[in-house]
């Protein structure tokens, strides 16, 4: 019988030869049994033999035997992994399995509508400005010609942060901020969030969006205001849409008007319509010629310049554009609603 060292060498070659033929995970297990099996594994038997050696022989054989064992263990583990993962990949590549559905996000309908409004005004040469949602009493009221304690403030009641700071009730304060910095000609729109002390109903919310418009130059008249708004509304709703200007009051415009469009929800046919209350009309914006006092507050000479402004409710107008009879749908985050605006 050859020496243990020779046997170790023999089994190392035998293992190398057999391992090179392995093609399936099952064969890895067979090899493991053949070499490392608890009773008859080749290495197990070699270890038995090792015990019978004298101390000198043990020294060299012990190291080689242990090395062979760890090499075999490592190679088998590696091989096992290699053979398993392609199998898994193959399973995933099964083209008959149903695909996983992907959901794409999309802009909120109010954002889509705001962009549409911006596009129309930009095409007429307007630029877009923004301002803070937390405002001072001065910009939200005083500079817009609402004296302290004036009853006109009642319809713009809001949430106060302290004596001086409040959540803005309209985008009009940004008119003041812009006119303080820029001199005419001015041709801007100002979209943004506004806040009011309102009880929610199908057309009211305590937070909503407005877009403000402001034009200031020499020789600007009410005819420019009317023409611009008519063009804007007809571009949004089509040539046939009916609109009307009604005299109104705002402390910061004189004269003032409100603009109604025909109720697209009921077409004026439903006396109990929850959107127009049966009148057939719904107000969508307030407007007017900039009050001379407002110009004085920002050091623009009202003898030289004139201008107009408007403030439009974006949510309310979007209700008509998308034919949605309930403003609260916009903020309930119901995916069944929101997905209808996914334009992909
Ligand atoms: N700020 C007014 C509102 O919130 C609308 C408005 C803007 C009216 C500009 C006239 C001019 O109701």
């Amino acid at each position: 019988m050859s020496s243990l060292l020779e046997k170790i060498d023999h089994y190392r070659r035998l293992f190398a030869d057999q391992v090179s033929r392995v093609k399936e995970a099952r064969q890895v297990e067979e090899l493991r049994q053949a070499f490392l099996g608890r009773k008859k594994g080749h290495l197990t038997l070699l270890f038995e033999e090792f015990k019978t050696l004298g101390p000198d022989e043990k020294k060299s054989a012990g190291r080689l035997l242990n090395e062979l064992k760890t090499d075999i263990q490592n190679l088998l583990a590696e091989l096992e992994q290699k053979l398993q993962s392609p199998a898994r990949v193959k399973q995933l590549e099964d083209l008959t399995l149903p695909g996983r559905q992907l959901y794409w996000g999309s802009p909120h309908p109010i954002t889509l509508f705001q962009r549409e409004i911006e596009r129309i005004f930009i095409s007429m040469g307007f630029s877009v400005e923004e301002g803070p949602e937390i405002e001072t009493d001065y910009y939200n009221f005083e500079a817009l010609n609402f004296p302290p304690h004036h009853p006109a403030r009642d319809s713009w009641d809001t949430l106060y942060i302290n004596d001086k700071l409040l959540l803005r009730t309209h985008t009009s304060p940004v008119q003041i901020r812009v006119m303080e910095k820029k001199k005419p000609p001015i041709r801007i729109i100002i979209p943004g969030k506004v806040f009011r002390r309102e009880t929610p109903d199908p057309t009211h919310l305590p937070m909503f969006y407005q877009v403000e418009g402001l034009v200031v130059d020499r020789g600007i008249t009410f005819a420019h205001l009317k023409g611009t708004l008519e063009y804007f509304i007809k571009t949004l709703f089509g040539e046939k849409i009916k609109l009307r200007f009604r005299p109104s009051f705002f402390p910061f415009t004189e004269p003032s008007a409100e603009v109604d469009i025909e109720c697209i929800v009921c077409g004026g046919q439903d006396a109990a319509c929850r959107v127009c209350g049966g009148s057939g009309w719904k107000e969508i914006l307030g407007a007017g010629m900039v009050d001379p006092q407002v110009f004085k507050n920002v050091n623009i000479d009202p003898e030289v310049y004139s201008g107009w402004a408007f403030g439009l409710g974006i949510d309310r107008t979007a209700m008509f554009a998308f034919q949605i009879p309930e403003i609260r749908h916009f903020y309930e985050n119901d995916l069944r609603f929101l997905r209808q605006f996914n334009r992909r």
Side-chain angles (χ1 to χ4, degrees), residues 82-321:
K82 252 193 226 158
L83 290 171
Q84 257 177 15
S85 27
R88 246 182 254 145
V89 169
K90 213 170 178 188
Q91 205 175 20
L92 291 178
E93 275 173 356
D94 183 348
L95 298 179
T96 64
L97 288 173
R100 224 184 297 151
Q101 192 174 357
L102 295 176
Y103 290 107
W104 296 96
S106 60
H108 189 275
I110 296 294
T111 307
L112 287 172
F113 195 62
Q114 182 184 318
R115 287 184 192 160
E116 182 113 4
I117 293 171
E118 287 174 10
R119 214 172 37 75
I120 297 171
F121 278 99
I122 289 169
S123 81
M124 289 192 271
F126 283 68
S127 53
V128 181
E129 297 277 347
E130 282 184 341
E133 288 165 20
I134 296 177
E135 260 303 359
T136 59
D137 184 275
Y138 178 76
Y139 284 106
N140 195 72
F141 290 123
E142 269 204 71
L144 289 165
N145 208 22
F146 289 83
H149 310 298
H150 193 280
R153 288 188 176 211
D154 292 354
S155 15
W156 281 267
D157 198 9
T158 185
L159 299 158
Y160 285 81
I161 287 165
N162 57 36
D163 285 350
K164 292 210 175 75
L165 292 178
L166 47 83
L167 295 179
R168 68 177 179 190
T169 55
H170 46 183
T171 40
S172 303
V174 192
Q175 286 188 30
I176 305 294
R177 289 181 176 276
V178 170
M179 286 192 287
E180 279 177 346
K181 289 204 202 86
K182 278 191 199 161
K183 292 302 148 204
I186 294 172
R187 214 184 291 140
I188 55 165
I189 55 164
I190 308 150
K193 266 185 203 139
V194 301
F195 307 83
R196 293 206 193 156
R197 202 183 59 86
E198 294 272 11
T199 307
D201 71 21
T203 56
H204 293 89
L205 280 174
M207 189 286 293
F208 54 99
Y209 284 81
Q210 281 192 335
V211 61
E212 191 87 4
L214 175 68
V215 169
V216 184
D217 204 349
R218 290 168 199 261
I220 298 291
T221 71
F222 201 93
H224 297 123
L225 167 65
K226 245 190 126 181
T228 309
L229 287 178
E230 212 171 299
Y231 173 81
F232 163 66
I233 291 170
K234 292 197 162 164
T235 308
L236 262 187
F237 291 101
E239 275 299 315
K240 289 206 189 100
I241 183 83
K242 285 202 202 100
L243 61 149
R244 68 178 188 188
F245 284 70
R246 262 186 303 111
S248 184
F249 169 78
F250 298 102
F252 40 95
T253 47
E254 182 61 34
S256 303
E258 279 176 271
V259 175
D260 300 339
I261 58 171
E262 61 185 317
C263 179
I264 297 174
V265 172
C266 78
Q269 300 303 304
D270 178 4
C273 176
R274 304 217 320 141
V275 170
C276 71
S279 72
W281 296 96
K282 193 67 192 173
E283 181 226 325
I284 57 165
L285 65 87
M289 301 305 290
V290 179
D291 194 291
Q293 185 57 47
V294 173
F295 279 144
K296 284 182 200 153
N297 294 345
V298 292
N299 286 320
I300 290 179
D301 185 350
E303 299 297 330
V304 179
Y305 292 104
S306 57
W308 53 255
F310 72 87
L312 166 94
I314 296 186
D315 313 57
R316 198 180 266 193
T317 313
M319 285 173 65
F320 292 114

